[in-house]
Amino acid sequence: MMCIRSEIIGLGHCLPEKILTNDDLSQMVETSDEWIRTRTGICSRHIATTETTSVIAGKAVENAIKNAGLTPSDVDVFILATITPDNTTPSTAAKIARNLGFRHGVPAFDISAACSGFVYALTLADNMIRLGQAKTAVVAGAECLSKIVDWTDRNTCVLFGDGAGAAVLRAVEGEGTNKDTGVLSTRIYADGEQYESLGTNGGVSSTQSSGFVVMNGKEVFKHAVVCLSEAAQTVMNDAGVVKEDVDWLIPHQANIRIIDSVAERLEIDKDKVIVALDHHGNTSAASIPLALSENYASGRIKKGQLLVLTAMGAGFTWGGVCVRL
Ligand code: UT7
């Protein structure tokens, strides 16, 4: 049966210039390259200096629109996933809409779903496209996590990085089968039971500040493996595809040991799993679009391939997307 699908027609990303290595970190807190590498898989991360979230997100969006062969005036809706906005209000999406020159009246808003933010944004945009409310949607994930990290806490400061990734979606007609190009299935979830396990120790209405990232690493780790693999399996089932059909699994980039366990549970070969955390660290909402855009630009991920995206983060929130590029 004919249906409307959201095809990804452009990708873009942006990383702040400054790179912070594990050795640099070992000069700042009691840690070592060896500990960080073996416990997390992270070797280096990018850190914003003068850049803000709107700057790196704006560049990622600009590149995605250019790569789609469109101009900002073609955009019908813009959704930015971030937990590190330039200002508490207005949204960083509104700032980017102004800077890039989106049309008057085009909806632009931020969503807060931490590391699952991009999967949430993609889900919302896909629904708007399929409902006919937008023909061209831009979704982005961008973070300057370095601004809310406690640089004296070795338990957290070694894990995170800054960056941005974006995708342009366009309405296309599909056959309604798993051979279609575009988003085939989406799922998003939340469960507030683990509200305390991962987040910041403050916020606007409680402490009149943004707070710093705090985490119960072991608890998050345990749930992450289950949430990431279940969301991936569910969207594969929804799309009517099996693990052999999947060209690339793109999991949220938090810890290589989590990624390996998820791949093992899904019985997806390690060489079909995209890993970018070695040079990005955990960039929260940016992690999936950044990994996707970078690997598409390098030619590793190709048009026509079937991707499974899966994310999990503070809230807890989690979700997945199955998409054919
Ligand atoms: O983005 C959302 C999702 N976030 C995640 O998925 C993160 C999930 N959690 C994790 O990735 C892991 O739990 C961590 C990487 C955060 C920690 O790994 P772990 O294997 O769970 O280590 P641990 O917390 O049990 O710590 C082991 C030891 C501790 O020392 P003691 O108490 O055993 O003496 C820590 O104090 O390692 C110590 N430690 C460090 N040592 C050197 C913790 N951080 C560091 C560090 N350098 N940076």
Side-chain angles (χ1 to χ4, degrees), residues 31 35 39 115 154-155 217-218 220 252 254-255 257-258 282:
T31 190
W35 192 95
R39 302 311 292 163
C115 304
R154 71 172 185 178
N155 290 296
K218 282 213 181 332
V220 179
H252 171 53
N255 188 316
R257 293 182 292 137
I258 296 176
N282 179 348

Side-chain angles (χ1 to χ4, degrees), residues 2-307:
M2 300 298 277
C3 67
I4 297 176
R5 299 280 195 197
S6 313
E7 182 182 359
I8 297 181
I9 59 164
L11 291 163
H13 63 275
C14 177
L15 289 157
E17 259 172 53
K18 183 182 170 186
I19 294 173
L20 190 72
T21 66
N22 292 349
D23 285 332
D24 295 334
L25 276 162
S26 69
Q27 310 291 312
M28 297 159 63
V29 288
E30 207 184 319
T31 190
S32 64
D33 175 53
E34 154 79 13
W35 192 95
I36 304 170
R37 214 180 270 264
T38 53
R39 302 311 292 163
T40 72
I42 300 166
C43 305
S44 63
R45 68 290 288 144
H46 288 252
I47 301 291
T49 51
T50 54
E51 305 96 337
T52 62
T53 298
S54 71
V55 170
I56 54 173
K59 286 196 178 134
V61 168
E62 209 174 4
N63 291 339
I65 293 172
K66 204 179 291 160
N67 291 337
L70 301 179
T71 66
S73 62
D74 294 311
V75 176
D76 298 323
V77 58
F78 174 43
I79 310 175
L80 174 68
T82 188
I83 53 167
T84 47
D86 282 21
N87 286 49
T88 301
T89 193
S91 72
T92 303
K95 193 170 182 181
I96 293 166
R98 192 241 350 233
N99 291 350
L100 296 189
F102 292 162
R103 292 191 322 274
H104 173 78
V106 163
F109 56 98
D110 292 0
I111 59 161
S112 167
C115 304
S116 315
F118 185 75
V119 164
Y120 265 63
L122 197 50
T123 300
L124 296 186
D126 175 51
N127 286 337
M128 289 183 76
I129 284 179
R130 288 188 302 108
L131 275 171
Q133 293 176 338
K135 215 172 159 220
T136 306
V138 176
V139 287
E143 305 286 7
C144 285
L145 292 176
S146 62
K147 308 295 181 196
I148 56 166
V149 159
D150 174 357
W151 289 101
T152 64
D153 176 16
R154 71 172 185 178
N155 290 296
T156 52
C157 76
V158 304
L159 304 173
F160 300 102
D162 301 337
V168 179
L169 305 178
R170 188 117 219 217
V172 290
E173 224 166 68
E175 306 273 324
T177 74
N178 63 16
K179 300 282 180 292
D180 284 351
T181 297
V183 174
L184 300 177
S185 59
T186 62
R187 289 268 184 164
I188 50 175
Y189 308 93
D191 179 3
E193 271 305 303
Q194 297 287 336
Y195 187 85
E196 312 287 345
S197 293
L198 174 58
T200 57
N201 57 7
V204 178
S205 72
S206 55
T207 59
Q208 295 80 56
S209 67
S210 59
F212 290 113
V213 174
V214 286
M215 170 169 75
N216 178 345
K218 282 213 181 332
E219 195 65 20
V220 179
F221 192 110
K222 216 169 56 193
H223 282 85
V225 173
V226 177
C227 292
L228 290 166
S229 23
E230 284 185 0
Q233 190 59 60
T234 305
V235 291
M236 284 162 62
N237 295 347
D238 290 348
V241 301
V242 292
K243 57 178 192 278
E244 289 79 9
D245 300 323
V246 177
D247 290 298
W248 297 107
L249 176 70
I250 311 181
H252 171 53
Q253 307 283 313
N255 188 316
I256 192 65
R257 293 182 292 137
I258 296 176
I259 293 177
D260 287 347
S261 306
V262 170
E264 202 171 299
R265 275 177 172 240
L266 293 169
E267 296 178 352
I268 290 180
D269 225 53
K270 267 196 196 171
D271 56 12
K272 286 181 162 188
V273 182
I274 296 289
V275 176
L277 59 76
D278 54 331
H279 58 294
H280 292 163
N282 179 348
T283 58
S284 190
S287 102
I288 290 177
L290 195 47
L292 170 58
S293 174
E294 204 176 59
N295 280 277
Y296 184 74
S298 75
R300 194 153 172 245
I301 297 178
K302 296 181 176 66
K303 198 80 195 139
Q305 290 187 322
L306 187 74
L307 316 179

